[in-house]
Amino acid sequence: MTLRPIAEVGAELGLAPEDVLPWGRDRAKVSLDALGRSSRQGRMVLVSAINPTPPGEGKTTMSVALAMGLRKRGRKAVAALREPSLGPVFGVKGGGTGGGQASLEPAADINLHFTGDLHAITSAHNLLSALVDNAVYYGHPVALEGTRVRWRRAMDMNDRFLRNVIVGLGGKAHGVPRETSFDITAASEVMAILALSENLKDLEARLGRIVVAQAADGSPVRANDVNAAASMVALLKDALMPNLAQTREGGPAIVHAGPFGNIAHGCSSVVGTRLALAYADEVVTEAGFGFDLGAEKFLDIKCRSAGVWPRGVMLVVTLRALKHHGGAAADKVAEPDREALLKGFSHLEKHLESVTAFGLPAVLCVNRFPQDTEGELDELRAFAKARNVGIAVCEGFGKGGEGSLELADTVLAMLDATDAAPPKPRFLYGLDQTPEEKIRAIARTVYGADDVAFTPGARKDLETARALGGAGLPVCMAKTHLSLSDDPTKTGRPRGFTLTVREVRLSAGAGFLVALTGELLTMPGLPREPAARRVTVHPDGSITGLMQGE
């Protein structure tokens, strides 16, 4: 496969040559100045999904496939997607650039170092860590006690042994001993800040607001108090520029930022989305995990912050995931099972109800697998028809854009129907509501919970967040992606449950409260057979094994 010169890809999108800054032969940064050179306002499609089985259901593959199909229909379409993190790439999931004939390119480079954005974010995060501990050591420029430090460290790799560590050992000359933790870089507040920042000035302001500790009197100590923001921006100034790549068929793709879908808002960057909207007819973007976890945050957090709103939702489903939610065993979901499939429809129904709660139209995208039968596909088509929801079977994985034309046509029909009266923003809660009310609104409307319980620790966290000025912020829910509830074993459409919030964290720079449920980890571990073991580097320097099934 020969990739198009990146300048040619930028020219197709309409970018001026001076705005395309090559980062090697087949990838580039795009100057933030490009945002002011176009008055076009494209139509945005939000790609989401039902709750996946552990390996995922191909949401990114379907996003790329849709962009390919739209391009084959003569549309100026661009995929605006997240950057993969090294942790999942070498962990359970493998690469995050799509798959088969519907992938982003250069796939190996995007999955590994790409343009260095994640390394820059890791460095900026840990620079702040070093400056905070330096203040603990010297008592300057602000007096800090190690026990009151909230800021953790970050690393872009799954390493369970770093979940809890002790730093500062070795005597007084080496620091002040204290317990701390590592988060994966995608879970860093710096990552969330970069993804939500409008420009360099906004980036510096958000970084300066990060709460790193509490003073003895309980008042917040922020990154600005240790003089960190400007030097962090120096590390991040290139990382803030969106990345230009291409699909396997040479269409333009904006691949930028990758906040964790659990602990953060799980969306690509605001500047990347705005760039795409300014130059494309259709913008295909996605949110992390299922609609309950990713799309809700995309709409309530990212869209509220950026002042944008999608025209509609493409909800990715697979027969195997529906059967999984209908009670089929994990090792049996590839086999025909009409009873499990029909039971799984209740799970899909709940997600469609959630889409409606935001005032958006939806189409179903069926990511077809080789073992899928026409009989079961017909059952799903009948389900969609009975609810007046568009549906298309996509074979983008095996056939690229040619296998995605039905999907492109179905999505275009949905978008065309909104031209006369585009959907207006409809959020689940107002910012003037209490944090508890916001959390209940999400849990009841999107998860189907009866109520929310707050542990004593979470209630104490909420009081602290209020004291630190966080009461008026949106809420970023952190829960399992495998279930609508906070229990990963409860598949289907759980009913009669209470969601338990065990911890609340203030992300003052990113501009949201994080409500943690269940046993969610911000530093994942590697599985027994990590994806790293299947990677091969060939004599010509090419790499295989980063993607599942490769």
Side-chain angles (χ1 to χ4, degrees):
M1 179 184 59
T2 302
L3 299 181
R4 296 175 71 191
I6 199 64
E8 189 178 303
V9 177
E12 177 179 321
L13 195 55
L15 293 167
E18 61 268 27
D19 288 329
V20 179
L21 312 174
W23 232 258
R25 289 179 294 183
D26 43 25
R27 69 203 97 150
K29 284 286 183 180
V30 180
S31 169
L32 295 178
D33 294 337
L35 286 166
R37 301 195 205 280
S38 173
S39 59
R40 182 193 296 265
Q41 189 61 35
R43 304 185 296 185
M44 181 165 58
V45 181
L46 171 60
V47 179
S48 189
I50 61 175
N51 293 89
T53 54
E57 304 310 310
K59 181 155 50 70
T60 301
T61 302
M62 293 299 97
S63 297
V64 177
L66 174 59
M68 286 177 165
L70 291 169
R71 185 168 176 259
K72 278 195 173 291
R73 287 301 192 215
R75 304 296 297 175
K76 184 186 282 189
V78 61
L81 305 176
R82 293 183 296 167
E83 292 182 61
S85 166
L86 292 180
V89 166
F90 290 121
V92 174
K93 200 174 177 187
T97 51
Q101 298 302 307
S103 66
L104 299 173
E105 298 292 345
D109 295 316
I110 295 171
N111 279 310
L112 298 176
H113 304 291
F114 199 19
T115 56
D117 292 350
L118 269 77
H119 299 312
I121 292 165
T122 305
S123 296
H125 181 114
N126 290 329
L127 171 62
L128 179 55
S129 301
L131 289 170
V132 168
D133 279 343
N134 204 47
V136 172
Y137 185 78
Y138 285 109
H140 174 80
V142 60
L144 281 181
E145 294 180 19
T147 56
R148 293 179 176 268
V149 171
R150 303 159 56 96
W151 191 246
R152 299 140 77 96
R153 283 168 163 76
M155 179 179 177
D156 190 26
M157 196 62 64
N158 291 1
D159 190 342
R160 62 171 51 82
F161 281 68
L162 294 180
R163 287 173 184 163
N164 297 285
V165 297
I166 297 175
V167 295
L169 297 177
K172 185 176 180 180
H174 301 288
V176 179
R178 67 179 179 87
E179 188 174 351
T180 186
S181 306
F182 275 78
D183 293 328
I184 192 170
T185 297
S188 165
E189 186 177 351
V190 178
M191 171 67 86
I193 287 171
L194 183 97
L196 291 169
S197 293
E198 307 271 350
N199 48 48
L200 288 171
K201 183 178 180 181
D202 184 37
L203 175 63
E204 183 167 354
R206 287 174 178 271
L207 291 170
R209 292 197 294 268
I210 294 173
V211 176
V212 297
Q214 285 180 268
D217 62 358
S219 61
V221 178
R222 302 181 186 271
N224 271 340
D225 296 319
V226 295
N227 302 327
S231 55
M232 293 171 75
V233 172
L235 288 169
L236 294 169
K237 67 179 185 65
D238 289 338
L240 184 61
M241 292 188 289
N243 303 304
L244 179 65
Q246 60 190 285
T247 68
R248 194 174 180 87
E249 295 179 351
I254 304 295
V255 186
H256 193 221
F260 210 21
N262 298 74
I263 197 72
H265 61 292
C267 315
S268 60
S269 71
V270 166
V271 291
T273 300
R274 284 194 170 149
L275 178 71
L277 287 169
Y279 286 87
D281 296 328
E282 280 81 38
V283 175
V284 181
T285 192
E286 68 175 1
F289 299 124
F291 192 92
D292 59 319
L293 200 59
E296 182 275 317
K297 296 174 188 178
F298 179 95
L299 297 165
D300 275 326
I301 297 176
K302 177 178 175 177
C303 288
R304 195 193 306 253
S305 174
V308 298
W309 197 251
R311 287 291 192 92
V313 174
M314 183 180 96
L315 199 66
V316 178
V317 301
T318 62
L319 295 182
R320 68 179 192 176
L322 288 169
K323 286 182 277 190
H324 172 73
H325 285 288
D331 60 348
K332 301 291 185 182
V333 292
E335 301 174 8
D337 188 338
R338 183 174 183 269
E339 182 180 356
L341 179 66
L342 296 180
K343 286 182 179 178
F345 286 166
S346 65
H347 176 83
L348 173 56
E349 184 95 66
K350 182 69 190 81
H351 284 291
L352 289 172
E353 290 172 7
S354 297
V355 176
T356 301
F358 284 98
L360 292 166
V363 298
L364 299 183
C365 165
V366 186
N367 181 11
R368 183 168 193 170
F369 284 73
Q371 66 271 17
D372 293 347
T373 67
E374 279 299 325
E376 290 189 325
L377 289 171
D378 285 340
E379 295 279 10
L380 184 52
R381 291 186 182 104
F383 170 89
K385 184 178 180 179
R387 287 152 185 81
N388 199 29
V389 175
I391 184 171
V393 175
C394 182
E395 297 185 79
F397 181 92
K399 300 178 181 178
E402 198 63 39
S404 309
L405 294 177
E406 179 190 348
L407 177 61
D409 292 341
T410 305
V411 170
L412 283 172
M414 174 185 70
L415 295 176
D416 291 345
T418 68
D419 281 343
K424 295 181 179 179
R426 183 193 296 179
F427 305 113
L428 292 187
Y429 53 82
L431 295 182
D432 57 346
Q433 292 180 260
T434 67
E436 291 90 343
E437 289 171 335
K438 296 169 187 173
I439 292 169
R440 284 194 173 92
I442 297 168
R444 287 171 172 165
T445 304
V446 181
Y447 309 158
D450 285 351
D451 202 359
V452 177
F454 297 87
T455 66
R459 292 194 177 280
K460 184 176 179 181
D461 291 340
L462 283 168
E463 290 308 311
T464 300
R466 287 189 180 91
L468 297 177
L473 297 176
V475 170
C476 180
M477 297 295 295
K479 75 169 188 71
T480 177
H481 60 287
L482 298 174
S483 170
L484 283 164
S485 74
D486 52 354
D487 182 348
T489 66
K490 290 184 177 179
T491 55
R493 182 174 183 169
R495 298 179 186 271
F497 69 95
T498 297
L499 187 85
T500 300
V501 176
R502 62 176 176 81
E503 182 183 350
V504 178
R505 298 180 187 175
L506 171 63
S507 292
F512 51 67
L513 293 174
V514 181
L516 289 93
T517 69
E519 296 302 315
L520 193 66
L521 297 170
T522 55
M523 171 53 79
L526 293 173
R528 183 178 182 86
E529 294 294 334
R533 291 183 181 170
R534 62 172 185 254
V535 174
T536 300
V537 181
H538 301 279
D540 64 354
S542 62
I543 301 171
T544 57
L546 287 171
M547 307 298 296
Q548 285 191 12
E550 190 177 49

